[in-house]
Amino acid sequence: MTEQPTSFERPQAGADPTDTRGALLRSPAASALPQQSRAAGSEHSQSASAEPGAHRPRPAPEGIPAQPDAAAMTAEAESAEGGASGDGAGKGEDGTGKGGSADHGTGDGASPGGRDRRARRGLPPGGKERRTGRGLPPGRPSPMRRDGDRLRFVGAATRRIARGMDLDEIVMGLCRATVPTFSDAILVYLREPLPVGDERPTGPLVLRLRRSDRIPSERDTDGVYVPPPVPEQPAELSVVTNELCEVRPGSALGEVLRGVRPVFTDTASAQVALTELLGEGSELAVPDGQRTILAPLRGRRRVIGAALFLRRPERHPFEPDDLLVAAQLATHSALGVDKAVLYGREAYIADELQRTMLPETLPHPTGVRLASRYLPAAETARVGGDWYDAIPLPGSRVALVVGDVMGHSMTSAAIMGQLRTTAQTLAGLDLPPQEVLHHLDEQAQRLGTDRMATCMYAVYDPVAHRITIANAGHPPPVLLHLGGRSEVLRVPAGAPIGVGGVDFEAVELDAPAGATLLLYTDGLVESRLRDVWTGIEQLRERLSATAQLTGPDHPPPLEALCDEILDMLGPGDRDDDIALLAARFDGIAPSDAAYWSLEPEDSAPGQARRLARQALVRWGLEELTDSVELLVSEVVTNAVRYASRPVTLRLLRTDVLRCEVGDDVPQLPRMRQARATDEGGRGLYLVNKLARRWGATRLSTGKVVWFELNHSAGNDQAR
């Protein structure tokens, strides 16, 4: 009879005892290797008399194979006994009694028919295992079939564990892969806290129960037979009272973990280790015999946890080969946990880098409202080279900056941080926008020849209602007017930062009250589905459509406008980082500003007091007259003492009263404690005591000393 293998396993030469190559499998050297059966039983074979073209079973899909259940193994054993007994000697394989004399046997398997049937059932001649030489007990599957199932199970389980990226996915993959296929329940303990990389843990080894899983009472096992629980069992396998365990040096649990290899818990030392892990008062029902495996989880450098596999008493106990399966599962799970911890640390570093590189909050300068958004290119790359910033400048002005370093990696983020710091420093010097871009270009060349970026730098003056913009290869800004009309501002593009040897040009444009300026990076308007100019036109149309919803006299809310802009992004439009900065120009009305120029003469302080008093009377702020006259007199006196050109005095009335005194001396004043015999040195001390805030800023033409007072502040409440 010719057999046609229908299993998806590759047939092995020598599986048939009549094959001359069978001696290789029966040799002592080859018997130590796991055996793979061509046909695991009579149900996996078909007779040669089958009709041509008859349907053959399809190979089973790759998955986690189930362990042989009790019913299947009992049926296989009965079939084996019946085939070797005298009752079935006169029947063929089809059970019709037409088998012929060639299949007759005496029950010992000596006849050719008996050897053929044993070969088809995966049994060696003589009914003994090749590895041990012992007879097969009833209900036990053939070694070759059992080893093949283990190999397929380990392969599928390790692939499932390896698919996880974070810690929870790794642990859940281990639990789902083993229950109910390999065990009825599992407990996974991990070190608390988990060490990262080469970090040397401090303190004692503490294990915390991370996850437990078991076969539920009511379940659908999808064809996997699992016996129902016996009612007289004292507790479920998932009942655990000790979730935290401290491993003492030299303890039984410590020795098991240090040994690395999985062990059965039926020995005395392993029982003590199990008691230490679960706790003295644990209600967990641990089955007797070899139905529990304790497997240490060892990462790349140290033990990071333990896994406990349990089987119910009504299920077949673990076998020695199952220790190898548990070892493979523990090894792959521990390496996966190490990988997840390292990945989590990298994600944490990326988030912290992003948080420190970008401003946490935007300032609240006078005459302008700000809103911003930042979106990374992907969740796995939390940082990139895009940045935005808003920097308050002297004279109630504000600098608006948006830049984009090429790439979205950790290196790009580091370069972005250096350029952003440089831009903040240059803005503090009150340099013109084109000069700021020039110095940024020099800084990028010092960082490296391939360090390139684009940048848009704008300065808004709320008093003059003007904005000065310089561009370095960046997409042009979009201005949304109060009536709903939007336009793309014509700003010279310029060369990107890092090219070197190029000049930058600045343009000054009107910034009417109620208008909104939108600065962005190319990730908002450019993608694989559209070019940059198509995206800019779509952005302009989206702004106009949004403004129409609020009417011609009311601009759309700034935060809602930013969200509406980001909603224009489709599923395929996230190819790059996105930085967005929106500025709503409120401005300062001319009636709320007063400006004078004073000659550097001895009469200048008195003149400054008189002009300030007149402005306060006009604004209805007479309660601030005494404080303002005193502080203005002190600041103007210091300016006149060293200045060689006219001194400027400006008062601004917004939510606070702001006074600014400018001169042509670049040295900044410093507050000091005057001695009793000193005739001067008390001016800044008085300013610090009476003013709400004060400061000094160096300009390209000198400096500005300013202070602020609350409107309702009197002489005793100026602070």
PDB file of all heavy atoms in Angstrom, residues 147-169:
ATOM      1  N   ASP A 147       7.132  16.260  19.530  1.00  0.00           N
ATOM      2  CA  ASP A 147       8.238  17.184  19.316  1.00  0.00           C
ATOM      3  C   ASP A 147       7.938  18.157  18.184  1.00  0.00           C
ATOM      4  O   ASP A 147       8.309  19.329  18.246  1.00  0.00           O
ATOM      5  CB  ASP A 147       9.516  16.408  19.015  1.00  0.00           C
ATOM      6  CG  ASP A 147      10.018  15.639  20.233  1.00  0.00           C
ATOM      7  OD1 ASP A 147       9.565  15.987  21.339  1.00  0.00           O
ATOM      8  OD2 ASP A 147      10.831  14.715  20.066  1.00  0.00           O
ATOM      9  N   GLY A 148       7.258  17.684  17.135  1.00  0.00           N
ATOM     10  CA  GLY A 148       6.898  18.594  16.060  1.00  0.00           C
ATOM     11  C   GLY A 148       5.945  19.674  16.524  1.00  0.00           C
ATOM     12  O   GLY A 148       6.066  20.840  16.140  1.00  0.00           O
ATOM     13  N   ASP A 149       4.971  19.305  17.361  1.00  0.00           N
ATOM     14  CA  ASP A 149       4.046  20.303  17.905  1.00  0.00           C
ATOM     15  C   ASP A 149       4.780  21.320  18.762  1.00  0.00           C
ATOM     16  O   ASP A 149       4.478  22.517  18.728  1.00  0.00           O
ATOM     17  CB  ASP A 149       2.958  19.614  18.726  1.00  0.00           C
ATOM     18  CG  ASP A 149       1.965  18.877  17.840  1.00  0.00           C
ATOM     19  OD1 ASP A 149       1.927  19.197  16.637  1.00  0.00           O
ATOM     20  OD2 ASP A 149       1.247  17.999  18.342  1.00  0.00           O
ATOM     21  N   ARG A 150       5.748  20.856  19.547  1.00  0.00           N
ATOM     22  CA  ARG A 150       6.496  21.790  20.394  1.00  0.00           C
ATOM     23  C   ARG A 150       7.271  22.791  19.546  1.00  0.00           C
ATOM     24  O   ARG A 150       7.316  23.980  19.849  1.00  0.00           O
ATOM     25  CB  ARG A 150       7.458  21.024  21.307  1.00  0.00           C
ATOM     26  CG  ARG A 150       6.777  20.327  22.479  1.00  0.00           C
ATOM     27  CD  ARG A 150       7.805  19.951  23.529  1.00  0.00           C
ATOM     28  NE  ARG A 150       7.191  19.273  24.664  1.00  0.00           N
ATOM     29  CZ  ARG A 150       7.127  17.959  24.798  1.00  0.00           C
ATOM     30  NH1 ARG A 150       7.657  17.176  23.866  1.00  0.00           N
ATOM     31  NH2 ARG A 150       6.549  17.421  25.851  1.00  0.00           N
ATOM     32  N   LEU A 151       7.908  22.300  18.490  1.00  0.00           N
ATOM     33  CA  LEU A 151       8.674  23.206  17.641  1.00  0.00           C
ATOM     34  C   LEU A 151       7.775  24.246  16.993  1.00  0.00           C
ATOM     35  O   LEU A 151       8.107  25.437  16.941  1.00  0.00           O
ATOM     36  CB  LEU A 151       9.423  22.408  16.574  1.00  0.00           C
ATOM     37  CG  LEU A 151      10.580  21.539  17.068  1.00  0.00           C
ATOM     38  CD1 LEU A 151      11.156  20.727  15.913  1.00  0.00           C
ATOM     39  CD2 LEU A 151      11.660  22.405  17.699  1.00  0.00           C
ATOM     40  N   ARG A 152       6.631  23.802  16.476  1.00  0.00           N
ATOM     41  CA  ARG A 152       5.716  24.759  15.868  1.00  0.00           C
ATOM     42  C   ARG A 152       5.168  25.730  16.906  1.00  0.00           C
ATOM     43  O   ARG A 152       4.989  26.913  16.637  1.00  0.00           O
ATOM     44  CB  ARG A 152       4.583  24.022  15.155  1.00  0.00           C
ATOM     45  CG  ARG A 152       5.028  23.286  13.902  1.00  0.00           C
ATOM     46  CD  ARG A 152       3.819  22.827  13.096  1.00  0.00           C
ATOM     47  NE  ARG A 152       3.003  21.875  13.834  1.00  0.00           N
ATOM     48  CZ  ARG A 152       3.202  20.570  13.844  1.00  0.00           C
ATOM     49  NH1 ARG A 152       4.209  20.053  13.139  1.00  0.00           N
ATOM     50  NH2 ARG A 152       2.405  19.766  14.528  1.00  0.00           N
ATOM     51  N   PHE A 153       4.880  25.256  18.098  1.00  0.00           N
ATOM     52  CA  PHE A 153       4.368  26.136  19.150  1.00  0.00           C
ATOM     53  C   PHE A 153       5.404  27.182  19.544  1.00  0.00           C
ATOM     54  O   PHE A 153       5.092  28.372  19.668  1.00  0.00           O
ATOM     55  CB  PHE A 153       3.971  25.295  20.362  1.00  0.00           C
ATOM     56  CG  PHE A 153       3.767  26.118  21.608  1.00  0.00           C
ATOM     57  CD1 PHE A 153       2.664  26.923  21.754  1.00  0.00           C
ATOM     58  CD2 PHE A 153       4.713  26.094  22.636  1.00  0.00           C
ATOM     59  CE1 PHE A 153       2.486  27.687  22.885  1.00  0.00           C
ATOM     60  CE2 PHE A 153       4.545  26.851  23.770  1.00  0.00           C
ATOM     61  CZ  PHE A 153       3.421  27.654  23.901  1.00  0.00           C
ATOM     62  N   VAL A 154       6.654  26.758  19.740  1.00  0.00           N
ATOM     63  CA  VAL A 154       7.702  27.709  20.132  1.00  0.00           C
ATOM     64  C   VAL A 154       7.904  28.756  19.045  1.00  0.00           C
ATOM     65  O   VAL A 154       8.049  29.950  19.321  1.00  0.00           O
ATOM     66  CB  VAL A 154       9.015  26.966  20.447  1.00  0.00           C
ATOM     67  CG1 VAL A 154      10.160  27.950  20.636  1.00  0.00           C
ATOM     68  CG2 VAL A 154       8.848  26.116  21.703  1.00  0.00           C
ATOM     69  N   GLY A 155       7.904  28.307  17.776  1.00  0.00           N
ATOM     70  CA  GLY A 155       8.093  29.268  16.692  1.00  0.00           C
ATOM     71  C   GLY A 155       6.985  30.299  16.641  1.00  0.00           C
ATOM     72  O   GLY A 155       7.242  31.507  16.523  1.00  0.00           O
ATOM     73  N   ALA A 156       5.733  29.840  16.732  1.00  0.00           N
ATOM     74  CA  ALA A 156       4.617  30.781  16.675  1.00  0.00           C
ATOM     75  C   ALA A 156       4.563  31.673  17.916  1.00  0.00           C
ATOM     76  O   ALA A 156       4.269  32.865  17.827  1.00  0.00           O
ATOM     77  CB  ALA A 156       3.308  30.005  16.520  1.00  0.00           C
ATOM     78  N   ALA A 157       4.852  31.120  19.091  1.00  0.00           N
ATOM     79  CA  ALA A 157       4.802  31.913  20.320  1.00  0.00           C
ATOM     80  C   ALA A 157       5.877  32.987  20.352  1.00  0.00           C
ATOM     81  O   ALA A 157       5.619  34.130  20.738  1.00  0.00           O
ATOM     82  CB  ALA A 157       4.935  30.990  21.535  1.00  0.00           C
ATOM     83  N   THR A 158       7.091  32.640  19.939  1.00  0.00           N
ATOM     84  CA  THR A 158       8.166  33.641  19.952  1.00  0.00           C
ATOM     85  C   THR A 158       7.909  34.746  18.933  1.00  0.00           C
ATOM     86  O   THR A 158       8.247  35.905  19.175  1.00  0.00           O
ATOM     87  CB  THR A 158       9.514  32.970  19.674  1.00  0.00           C
ATOM     88  OG1 THR A 158       9.416  32.183  18.475  1.00  0.00           O
ATOM     89  CG2 THR A 158       9.913  32.064  20.831  1.00  0.00           C
ATOM     90  N   ARG A 159       7.307  34.387  17.793  1.00  0.00           N
ATOM     91  CA  ARG A 159       6.963  35.446  16.838  1.00  0.00           C
ATOM     92  C   ARG A 159       5.908  36.378  17.412  1.00  0.00           C
ATOM     93  O   ARG A 159       5.948  37.583  17.186  1.00  0.00           O
ATOM     94  CB  ARG A 159       6.472  34.831  15.526  1.00  0.00           C
ATOM     95  CG  ARG A 159       7.573  34.229  14.680  1.00  0.00           C
ATOM     96  CD  ARG A 159       7.065  33.910  13.287  1.00  0.00           C
ATOM     97  NE  ARG A 159       6.002  32.913  13.300  1.00  0.00           N
ATOM     98  CZ  ARG A 159       6.216  31.609  13.236  1.00  0.00           C
ATOM     99  NH1 ARG A 159       7.443  31.134  13.170  1.00  0.00           N
ATOM    100  NH2 ARG A 159       5.202  30.766  13.227  1.00  0.00           N
ATOM    101  N   ARG A 160       4.972  35.831  18.149  1.00  0.00           N
ATOM    102  CA  ARG A 160       3.941  36.680  18.750  1.00  0.00           C
ATOM    103  C   ARG A 160       4.534  37.584  19.819  1.00  0.00           C
ATOM    104  O   ARG A 160       4.162  38.749  19.939  1.00  0.00           O
ATOM    105  CB  ARG A 160       2.851  35.803  19.358  1.00  0.00           C
ATOM    106  CG  ARG A 160       1.670  36.582  19.906  1.00  0.00           C
ATOM    107  CD  ARG A 160       0.510  35.671  20.213  1.00  0.00           C
ATOM    108  NE  ARG A 160      -0.700  36.416  20.534  1.00  0.00           N
ATOM    109  CZ  ARG A 160      -1.884  35.870  20.675  1.00  0.00           C
ATOM    110  NH1 ARG A 160      -2.036  34.564  20.522  1.00  0.00           N
ATOM    111  NH2 ARG A 160      -2.938  36.613  20.968  1.00  0.00           N
ATOM    112  N   ILE A 161       5.466  37.068  20.593  1.00  0.00           N
ATOM    113  CA  ILE A 161       6.113  37.893  21.622  1.00  0.00           C
ATOM    114  C   ILE A 161       6.951  38.988  20.972  1.00  0.00           C
ATOM    115  O   ILE A 161       6.975  40.131  21.423  1.00  0.00           O
ATOM    116  CB  ILE A 161       6.969  37.002  22.542  1.00  0.00           C
ATOM    117  CG1 ILE A 161       6.080  36.037  23.325  1.00  0.00           C
ATOM    118  CG2 ILE A 161       7.807  37.846  23.496  1.00  0.00           C
ATOM    119  CD1 ILE A 161       6.848  34.982  24.083  1.00  0.00           C
ATOM    120  N   ALA A 162       7.642  38.640  19.883  1.00  0.00           N
ATOM    121  CA  ALA A 162       8.536  39.614  19.245  1.00  0.00           C
ATOM    122  C   ALA A 162       7.785  40.749  18.570  1.00  0.00           C
ATOM    123  O   ALA A 162       8.379  41.785  18.272  1.00  0.00           O
ATOM    124  CB  ALA A 162       9.432  38.897  18.225  1.00  0.00           C
ATOM    125  N   ARG A 163       6.485  40.569  18.304  1.00  0.00           N
ATOM    126  CA  ARG A 163       5.731  41.633  17.651  1.00  0.00           C
ATOM    127  C   ARG A 163       5.486  42.823  18.568  1.00  0.00           C
ATOM    128  O   ARG A 163       5.190  43.912  18.095  1.00  0.00           O
ATOM    129  CB  ARG A 163       4.384  41.099  17.144  1.00  0.00           C
ATOM    130  CG  ARG A 163       4.488  40.262  15.896  1.00  0.00           C
ATOM    131  CD  ARG A 163       3.133  40.132  15.222  1.00  0.00           C
ATOM    132  NE  ARG A 163       2.153  39.468  16.059  1.00  0.00           N
ATOM    133  CZ  ARG A 163       1.858  38.179  15.987  1.00  0.00           C
ATOM    134  NH1 ARG A 163       2.501  37.420  15.119  1.00  0.00           N
ATOM    135  NH2 ARG A 163       0.950  37.650  16.766  1.00  0.00           N
ATOM    136  N   GLY A 164       5.578  42.637  19.865  1.00  0.00           N
ATOM    137  CA  GLY A 164       5.307  43.725  20.794  1.00  0.00           C
ATOM    138  C   GLY A 164       6.396  44.781  20.787  1.00  0.00           C
ATOM    139  O   GLY A 164       7.582  44.483  20.615  1.00  0.00           O
ATOM    140  N   MET A 165       5.983  46.042  20.987  1.00  0.00           N
ATOM    141  CA  MET A 165       6.918  47.155  21.016  1.00  0.00           C
ATOM    142  C   MET A 165       7.094  47.715  22.426  1.00  0.00           C
ATOM    143  O   MET A 165       8.193  48.064  22.820  1.00  0.00           O
ATOM    144  CB  MET A 165       6.453  48.264  20.077  1.00  0.00           C
ATOM    145  CG  MET A 165       6.583  47.920  18.607  1.00  0.00           C
ATOM    146  SD  MET A 165       8.292  47.653  18.089  1.00  0.00           S
ATOM    147  CE  MET A 165       8.962  49.292  18.331  1.00  0.00           C
ATOM    148  N   ASP A 166       6.010  47.797  23.180  1.00  0.00           N
ATOM    149  CA  ASP A 166       6.126  48.316  24.531  1.00  0.00           C
ATOM    150  C   ASP A 166       6.019  47.184  25.536  1.00  0.00           C
ATOM    151  O   ASP A 166       5.817  46.019  25.184  1.00  0.00           O
ATOM    152  CB  ASP A 166       5.077  49.396  24.808  1.00  0.00           C
ATOM    153  CG  ASP A 166       3.653  48.888  24.599  1.00  0.00           C
ATOM    154  OD1 ASP A 166       3.451  47.651  24.593  1.00  0.00           O
ATOM    155  OD2 ASP A 166       2.740  49.712  24.448  1.00  0.00           O
ATOM    156  N   LEU A 167       6.166  47.522  26.806  1.00  0.00           N
ATOM    157  CA  LEU A 167       6.249  46.508  27.859  1.00  0.00           C
ATOM    158  C   LEU A 167       4.949  45.722  27.973  1.00  0.00           C
ATOM    159  O   LEU A 167       4.966  44.488  28.102  1.00  0.00           O
ATOM    160  CB  LEU A 167       6.592  47.191  29.189  1.00  0.00           C
ATOM    161  CG  LEU A 167       6.899  46.270  30.370  1.00  0.00           C
ATOM    162  CD1 LEU A 167       8.082  45.384  30.059  1.00  0.00           C
ATOM    163  CD2 LEU A 167       7.168  47.093  31.616  1.00  0.00           C
ATOM    164  N   ASP A 168       3.823  46.392  27.938  1.00  0.00           N
ATOM    165  CA  ASP A 168       2.544  45.703  28.083  1.00  0.00           C
ATOM    166  C   ASP A 168       2.297  44.735  26.929  1.00  0.00           C
ATOM    167  O   ASP A 168       1.756  43.639  27.133  1.00  0.00           O
ATOM    168  CB  ASP A 168       1.411  46.724  28.174  1.00  0.00           C
ATOM    169  CG  ASP A 168       1.464  47.523  29.464  1.00  0.00           C
ATOM    170  OD1 ASP A 168       2.007  46.993  30.451  1.00  0.00           O
ATOM    171  OD2 ASP A 168       0.973  48.669  29.484  1.00  0.00           O
ATOM    172  N   GLU A 169       2.680  45.120  25.707  1.00  0.00           N
ATOM    173  CA  GLU A 169       2.477  44.233  24.569  1.00  0.00           C
ATOM    174  C   GLU A 169       3.348  42.984  24.673  1.00  0.00           C
ATOM    175  O   GLU A 169       2.914  41.883  24.300  1.00  0.00           O
ATOM    176  CB  GLU A 169       2.789  44.977  23.271  1.00  0.00           C
ATOM    177  CG  GLU A 169       1.775  46.061  22.923  1.00  0.00           C
ATOM    178  CD  GLU A 169       2.147  46.790  21.652  1.00  0.00           C
ATOM    179  OE1 GLU A 169       3.272  46.553  21.149  1.00  0.00           O
ATOM    180  OE2 GLU A 169       1.336  47.589  21.166  1.00  0.00           O
TER     181      GLU A 169
END
